Amino acid sequence: MKEKAWSVLVKLTQEGQLSALKQQLASSDAALAVNGKHFGSSGDTLLHYAARHGHLQVMEFLINEIGMDIEVYNSDYKRPLHEAASMSQIACVVYLLNNGAKVDCLKKADWTPLMMACTRRSPEVIQELLSHGADPFLKNKDGWNCFHIACREGDPLVVQHLLQFAPCVWKTESKILRTPLHTAAMHGCEEVVNILLQRCGYISESADSCGVTPFMDAVRNGHIAVGKMLLEIHGEGHTGTIATLLSLGADLHVKDKKGRSALHMASIGQHADAARTLLQLGLGDSEDASGTTARQLAKKPDILGVFEQEQD
């Protein structure tokens, strides 16, 4: 078959033009040729294209009439189920699972279809995979499970769904000891961080193999609101953390959308040592967008004393 003819088949499959595709594959020779055909450097087959674009009838035709293997894989070892799950194609996911696709098949770097589904905000696909026995505790080559990935994407519904299905799924660390809380904090996923702090048992100041805590991840990436949550609930923000942040290149004067500085955050959490260190490092008190200074947020005697000493 000529290259132009192959291109036509790919286009028809991607567009879901079933009748035209059937005409092109009417001869037994054409059907036989396409059955083992992989396209381009990705090594995708027509079945991969159909699953990715959500063309269920095309997919059924390729499997039932052309005889394509439901577990055919491309150059990255991605199966059609990986493609359908990663693109939230629920109808294709249901069909593949009901027709024997392996729910925990692995692509390159040991990613499962469930992990791929968690890169999207698609609770229905995740539920379908879980109901067919997908293991939420499996880890990829970096030590991430599906919960790490969901926390990175930041959809609270997906995170809550996984916790409901597997209440202990949060008890995981990557190969460099990073928790899902690190991941959510680093990406500024406020709603997810709040869920993790309320429902999961992360210990205060849990550090990865480089000594980085979730608070440090949040602040050095400019996610002040997340840092505030960690200060209030975990009590992070001590002088050692601040010194480490600065050594990593964090901006001492960074402010959030409400005009609040790190000094405001220290005052909100009533952390006297943190406030003292910030003032000593040259971070002056200032008004936020509402005209409130960090000193006005100080309530406890020890942190009030810090501001009084500064005035002296």
Side-chain angles (χ1 to χ4, degrees):
M1 191 176 293
K2 294 181 179 180
E3 192 63 34
K4 184 178 180 180
W6 288 125
S7 298
V8 169
L9 291 176
V10 170
K11 185 174 185 293
L12 292 175
T13 302
Q14 291 175 328
E15 294 177 353
Q17 296 188 41
L18 179 59
S19 296
L21 184 64
K22 284 184 174 181
Q23 290 178 359
Q24 292 289 324
L25 298 177
S27 72
S28 58
D29 288 342
L32 183 63
V34 80
N35 200 342
K37 176 65 176 177
H38 294 259
F39 298 89
S41 59
S42 67
D44 287 332
T45 66
L46 294 186
L47 192 54
H48 285 88
Y49 294 127
R52 184 182 306 153
H53 291 276
H55 299 309
L56 177 59
Q57 291 183 320
V58 173
M59 200 169 68
E60 290 175 322
F61 164 71
L62 293 172
I63 293 171
N64 297 328
E65 298 185 39
I66 300 301
M68 295 192 72
D69 183 2
I70 203 169
E71 295 293 345
V72 65
Y73 54 84
N74 67 9
S75 301
D76 287 331
Y77 297 98
K78 288 171 72 174
R79 273 69 169 177
L81 184 58
H82 283 106
E83 296 288 358
S86 68
M87 298 304 292
S88 302
Q89 304 293 1
I90 182 63
C92 291
V93 168
V94 171
Y95 175 83
L96 289 166
L97 290 172
N98 287 342
N99 283 273
K102 296 177 181 177
V103 70
D104 282 330
C105 53
L106 300 180
K107 81 168 191 73
K108 191 175 181 179
D110 296 336
W111 279 62
T112 66
L114 179 59
M115 293 174 192
M116 301 292 288
C118 286
T119 66
R120 302 279 178 170
R121 302 188 176 198
S122 183
E124 65 274 15
V125 171
I126 291 169
Q127 176 56 39
E128 191 67 27
L129 292 163
L130 290 171
S131 68
H132 278 80
D135 186 350
F137 295 96
L138 290 178
K139 294 185 176 185
N140 64 20
K141 73 174 184 64
D142 295 316
W144 282 36
N145 68 8
C146 65
F147 196 65
H148 271 102
I149 297 162
C151 289
R152 181 190 67 187
E153 298 305 316
D155 187 339
L157 293 178
V158 171
V159 169
Q160 290 173 329
H161 189 79
L162 290 171
L163 284 171
Q164 183 176 6
F165 183 87
C168 294
V169 73
W170 64 270
K171 296 181 180 180
T172 184
E173 294 177 335
S174 70
K175 288 186 176 179
I176 57 172
L177 307 183
R178 292 181 62 78
T179 66
L181 183 59
H182 280 90
T183 303
M186 177 181 178
H187 291 275
C189 303
E190 293 182 41
E191 290 184 83
V192 170
V193 169
N194 187 51
I195 292 169
L196 299 182
L197 293 175
Q198 297 295 335
R199 294 188 57 177
C200 306
Y202 292 109
I203 62 172
S204 179
E205 301 179 44
S206 59
D208 64 16
S209 59
C210 296
V212 177
T213 67
F215 173 78
M216 294 162 66
D217 263 333
V219 175
R220 71 178 180 178
N221 284 283
H223 306 306
I224 302 300
V226 172
K228 173 180 176 291
M229 263 191 279
L230 292 164
L231 281 172
E232 290 177 338
I233 298 177
H234 267 189
E236 293 195 49
H238 55 70
T239 56
T241 300
I242 294 169
T244 304
L245 279 170
L246 294 174
S247 71
L248 291 170
D251 182 1
L252 181 66
H253 302 280
V254 68
K255 292 186 177 183
D256 66 7
K257 293 179 180 179
K258 295 182 179 180
R260 298 174 298 188
S261 67
L263 190 58
H264 283 90
M265 298 300 106
S267 292
I268 289 170
Q270 306 303 307
H271 296 292
D273 287 344
R276 182 180 297 107
T277 301
L278 288 166
L279 289 166
Q280 290 173 348
L281 289 168
L283 180 59
D285 197 1
S286 61
E287 294 182 348
D288 64 14
S290 68
T292 303
T293 65
R295 189 184 192 287
Q296 290 172 317
L297 296 169
K299 304 298 180 185
K300 293 184 177 180
D302 55 350
I303 192 168
L304 284 169
V306 170
F307 284 101
E308 289 170 2
Q309 290 173 2
E310 183 68 16
Q311 285 182 334
D312 296 340

